[in-house]
Amino acid sequence: MSAVSPNLLFGMGNPLLDISAVVDKDFLDKYSLKPNDQILAEDKHKALFDELVKKFKVEYHAGGATQNSVKIAQWMIQEPHNVGTFFGCIGKDKFGEILKQKAKEAHVDARYYEQDEEPTGTCAACITGDNRSLVANLAAANCYKKEMHLDLEENWELVQKAKVYYIAGFFLTVSLESILKVAKHASEHNKLFCMNLSAPFICQFFKDNLMQVMPYIDVLFGNET
């Protein structure tokens, strides 16, 4: 393991503050949620977040599929710290500050693109039994801009430093051009590029984006669904 060095793993995705709570079936039905699913919030889900916090005992965690994976990789590796770099967009707000703090505690080198037009994204994790229904309100996460962040010299240097790249399919809805830039770099320098299918809706509604990235993918993650 001596070959492990800082910034070896690069992840890019949607940084979200997870708001999780054990809920009841009535709550799922009210917002027409399936017990085990992952969706993007629509207008009909706007009140869900407030109701979740008011009605149930909630816990806050730094989340987002890619950031979680980078975090777990660091936890498994333990030393050295900052093995993983993470890029994503947050808001200049309280939730953004919590995310920065949580990333620091997890020893992840999170370089967020911070903007003040949209608040930091959140994800409601509605737990029933062994199931969890995820409702993501991307907000700021949706505002990631290649030219405002990825293309900056000091940020691109971190991409070049990495040997392994991991991006969740969720990010295909945000910045295809950023994913392609990283994927092409990995391909040209014979590095490992990994992607996750993430959710059925990605393959259903963002198939064209996915197929543009597919030729560059060395390892593709998916589950039975």
Side-chain angles (χ1 to χ4, degrees):
M1 287 301 283
S2 60
V4 176
S5 58
N7 307 106
L8 186 79
L9 169 66
F10 175 84
M12 182 166 59
N14 301 331
L16 303 172
L17 189 71
D18 286 345
I19 306 170
S20 64
V22 175
V23 303
D24 49 35
K25 189 179 177 300
D26 291 346
F27 186 79
L28 294 185
D29 292 344
K30 181 177 177 180
Y31 292 102
S32 35
L33 303 175
K34 295 176 194 159
N36 207 17
D37 201 8
Q38 45 279 322
I39 61 166
L40 292 177
E42 297 170 39
D43 283 344
K44 66 180 177 190
H45 301 115
K46 285 280 192 286
L48 178 151
F49 295 86
D50 286 338
E51 189 176 337
L52 191 67
V53 173
K54 286 195 183 106
K55 219 170 167 180
F56 304 97
K57 186 174 179 288
V58 301
E59 285 184 6
Y60 294 102
H61 301 280
T66 306
Q67 186 165 238
N68 278 340
S69 300
V70 173
K71 209 164 71 176
I72 294 296
Q74 177 63 57
W75 171 76
M76 289 167 77
I77 290 164
Q78 293 289 317
E79 298 280 341
H81 290 161
N82 293 339
V83 166
T85 313
F86 177 76
F87 286 3
C89 183
I90 62 172
K92 295 178 180 173
D93 51 25
K94 190 184 77 176
F95 284 171
E97 290 304 316
I98 294 174
L99 278 182
K100 285 198 275 192
Q101 187 54 40
K102 295 280 187 188
K104 203 172 162 188
E105 286 168 13
H107 307 299
V108 170
D109 191 1
R111 307 288 179 108
Y112 298 117
Y113 167 45
E114 298 181 45
Q115 49 74 60
D116 44 21
E117 281 167 42
E118 286 281 343
T120 297
T122 48
C123 180
C126 309
I127 301 159
T128 50
D130 291 333
N131 293 318
R132 56 178 194 147
S133 192
L134 304 179
V135 184
N137 181 26
L138 295 185
N142 218 4
C143 302
Y144 190 82
K145 302 273 188 294
K146 173 178 164 287
E147 63 283 358
M148 299 293 287
H149 194 261
L150 187 68
D151 291 345
L152 301 183
E153 200 178 332
E154 67 271 23
N155 292 333
W156 186 246
E157 279 172 7
L158 289 169
V159 176
Q160 292 172 310
K161 213 173 164 185
K163 300 271 194 300
V164 179
Y165 302 85
Y166 175 76
I167 300 175
F170 291 125
F171 202 57
L172 287 164
T173 75
V174 174
S175 184
L176 174 64
E177 57 279 10
S178 295
I179 298 174
L180 285 171
K181 183 174 180 178
V182 172
K184 284 171 183 171
H185 167 81
S187 173
E188 283 159 15
H189 297 84
N190 206 20
K191 298 172 178 180
L192 198 66
F193 185 81
C194 315
M195 193 151 211
N196 199 316
L197 292 171
S198 296
F201 82 85
I202 298 293
C203 301
Q204 287 168 311
F205 305 113
F206 294 91
K207 181 181 167 232
D208 292 350
N209 287 10
L210 178 64
M211 294 320 286
Q212 283 190 56
V213 183
M214 200 62 92
Y216 302 100
I217 300 174
D218 298 302
V219 181
L220 183 69
F221 295 89
N223 63 18
E224 196 177 352
T225 321

